[in-house]
Amino acid sequence: MKYDRSFNFSAGPAMMPEPVLEEIAAEMLNYRGSGMCVMEMSHRDKAFEEIRDQAEADLRELMGIPDNYKVLFVQGGGTLQFAMVAANLMKNGVACYVETGSWSKKAISEAKKYGQVKVVASSADKNFSYIPDCSDLDIPDDADYVYICENETINGTTFFELPNTKGKILVSDQSSMFLSRPCDVSKYGLIWAGVQKNVGPAGMAVVIVREDLLRDDLDPKTPTYLSYKIHADNDSMYNTPNCWSIYCCGKVFRYLMDNGGLEGVAKRNEEKAAILYDYLDESKLFTAPVEKKDRSLMNVPFVTPTKEQDAAVVAATKAAGFDNLKGHKTVGGLRASIYNAMPKEGVQALVDFLRKYEAENA
Ligand SMILES: *Cc1c(COP(=O)(O)O)cnc(C)c1O
């Protein structure tokens, strides 16, 4: 390989497209004749304003975001959104959450600080190995929204069908699947995504929010920074934004547009995931615990029969140049995160390695 880069299966921060990294490297010392790096630039500089505006315009085109939605670039990563969603959208103080794993549980516990949380469906009974039926949820009349984690990064499940919210606003954490497939934004009230899983550098979330949900009557003790309306009214420049992340994410948006858009990337992601799941399903050593219909195309957890063997496989993959295959500490086993930027060759090489390992250790 040109740069001797590893196949990095990290759940996040994760791989970025190599051509994007090359472009960033080329602009590092002198961004397009400005005489400075983007990291050194004033966020009020015209050159940076253009970077921000272009990033938003490209994301709008890429996802087909309707005009009545705002696009915000907010600091605080994914975790701040657990609070921000509840602080901004809990008007009646009642919200419905679907509990599908680690990240929805975190969202639930944070939302409880702001109001009453009703868990309307859960897959806790089977270790979060499936997506519960959400076609007929018991949603109270005064519920402000229905919340899902659309792809559970740790548990490896994904919603292929959105819940029937019975007219209530749908809020989705898309962090670990953002831009991995086409998305009809008009079906949501709010989508947010921490960008370090599938887009760019950590420390920022993209928030796509329907305009009519922006409020200026929040609890007066709410920190100013937590108001979506403040960010919307100031084009995400209320304070110094995460300029570097916006710049890098903008490059990834453009890269996706130039490479078949979301349809193109979805097709590549389906092919990649199939290579890995097909092998795991035929393997006698490994098991993929998630129900087939709900399997994530981005995060693929799998296990051997014992913890000791799990650890041995992780060590063997690491020695062979495959990084970050250890499962999350809360679930153990192994996990291959195969986001947009993981090339098909990386998945194929991993499967070839695991197959050989299995044959040698049978
Ligand atoms: C990683 C992740 C988060 C948290 O993101 P941070 O930026 O680390 O706070 C939230 N939700 C999902 C689905 C994630 O994968």
Side-chain angles (χ1 to χ4, degrees):
M1 269 167 106
K2 200 165 157 193
Y3 301 100
D4 195 23
R5 285 162 51 77
S6 83
F7 288 127
N8 176 8
F9 293 86
S10 169
M15 288 183 83
M16 288 175 63
E18 208 162 276
V20 166
L21 295 178
E22 281 179 325
E23 242 184 72
I24 292 168
E27 291 175 348
M28 185 66 75
L29 283 261
N30 185 349
Y31 175 78
R32 300 187 185 178
S34 65
M36 53 187 91
C37 174
V38 174
M39 276 189 264
E40 302 170 302
M41 228 173 242
S42 163
H43 60 297
R44 306 288 173 199
D45 198 299
K46 194 162 174 297
F48 184 75
E49 267 180 35
E50 279 172 18
I51 289 171
R52 198 220 74 91
D53 292 351
Q54 193 64 50
E56 177 177 339
D58 287 347
L59 181 63
R60 285 186 173 278
E61 190 179 329
L62 187 61
M63 292 185 77
I65 300 174
D67 289 344
N68 62 327
Y69 286 75
K70 293 284 187 188
V71 172
L72 314 176
F73 300 114
V74 185
Q75 298 184 62
T79 296
L80 189 64
Q81 291 309 308
F82 298 144
M84 230 166 140
V85 163
N88 283 266
L89 300 186
M90 267 198 189
K91 224 172 158 175
N92 299 330
V94 182
C96 296
Y97 279 69
V98 179
E99 184 189 52
T100 49
S102 308
W103 292 115
S104 43
K105 277 166 71 176
K106 288 205 167 161
I108 288 166
S109 60
E110 198 72 357
K112 281 181 178 165
K113 296 180 182 173
Y114 292 87
Q116 197 190 323
V117 170
K118 185 170 180 203
V119 175
V120 285
S122 173
S123 54
D125 61 337
K126 288 186 189 162
N127 260 330
F128 300 117
S129 60
Y130 69 104
I131 297 290
D133 178 8
C134 294
S135 61
D136 186 18
L137 302 171
D138 186 12
I139 298 169
D141 285 342
D142 59 350
D144 290 308
Y145 58 89
V146 177
Y147 181 105
I148 59 169
C149 175
E150 206 163 332
N151 186 84
E152 282 279 4
T153 322
I154 293 171
N155 309 85
T157 55
T158 211
F159 282 81
F160 287 102
E161 201 177 322
L162 294 177
N164 174 1
T165 63
K166 304 192 172 163
K168 302 296 181 193
I169 294 154
L170 178 64
V171 176
S172 176
D173 171 2
Q174 288 196 348
S175 297
S176 48
M177 57 162 298
F178 193 54
L179 306 180
S180 68
R181 65 188 189 202
C183 170
D184 181 353
V185 175
S186 70
K187 290 188 171 147
Y188 303 78
L190 187 149
I191 294 168
W192 67 264
V195 297
Q196 78 274 25
K197 307 292 163 66
N198 212 7
V199 192
M204 190 174 83
V206 172
V207 177
I208 302 167
V209 55
R210 221 173 61 201
E211 259 166 10
D212 60 285
L213 301 177
L214 299 171
R215 290 167 56 201
D216 46 20
D217 60 341
L218 302 183
D219 181 321
K221 277 191 183 153
T222 308
T224 308
Y225 196 82
L226 262 61
S227 158
Y228 287 131
K229 188 163 189 303
I230 285 281
H231 292 280
D233 289 348
N234 292 279
D235 293 325
S236 303
M237 304 264 255
Y238 170 72
N239 69 335
T240 318
N242 188 335
C243 302
W244 183 249
S245 189
I246 293 172
Y247 163 70
C248 296
C249 289
K251 295 237 180 259
V252 174
F253 302 155
R254 182 50 71 101
Y255 174 81
L256 291 171
M257 290 164 82
D258 292 343
N259 285 277
L262 297 186
E263 266 98 17
V265 77
K267 192 165 167 286
R268 294 194 293 278
N269 286 334
E270 280 165 22
E271 285 170 11
K272 275 167 12 192
I275 293 171
L276 185 49
Y277 282 119
D278 286 352
Y279 164 67
L280 294 172
D281 286 341
E282 77 186 37
S283 166
K284 302 219 162 20
L285 176 61
F286 300 107
T287 316
V290 173
E291 266 185 34
K292 282 190 183 172
K293 67 174 179 39
D294 303 320
R295 284 174 170 179
S296 168
L297 302 189
M298 301 281 101
N299 312 99
V300 182
F302 54 102
V303 293
T304 70
T306 68
K307 280 197 174 73
E308 293 68 34
Q309 205 155 15
D310 289 343
V313 181
V314 171
T317 54
K318 175 83 190 152
F322 302 98
D323 282 311
N324 293 310
L325 279 155
K326 191 166 186 259
H328 192 268
K329 58 183 187 295
T330 56
V331 298
L334 292 95
R335 173 178 51 167
S337 293
I338 50 173
Y339 296 117
N340 288 352
M342 169 62 68
K344 188 172 166 182
E345 297 75 50
V347 181
Q348 189 61 60
L350 175 66
V351 166
D352 292 346
F353 179 84
L354 294 175
R355 187 175 274 128
K356 189 160 158 276
Y357 181 94
E358 181 175 355
E360 287 168 357
N361 292 273

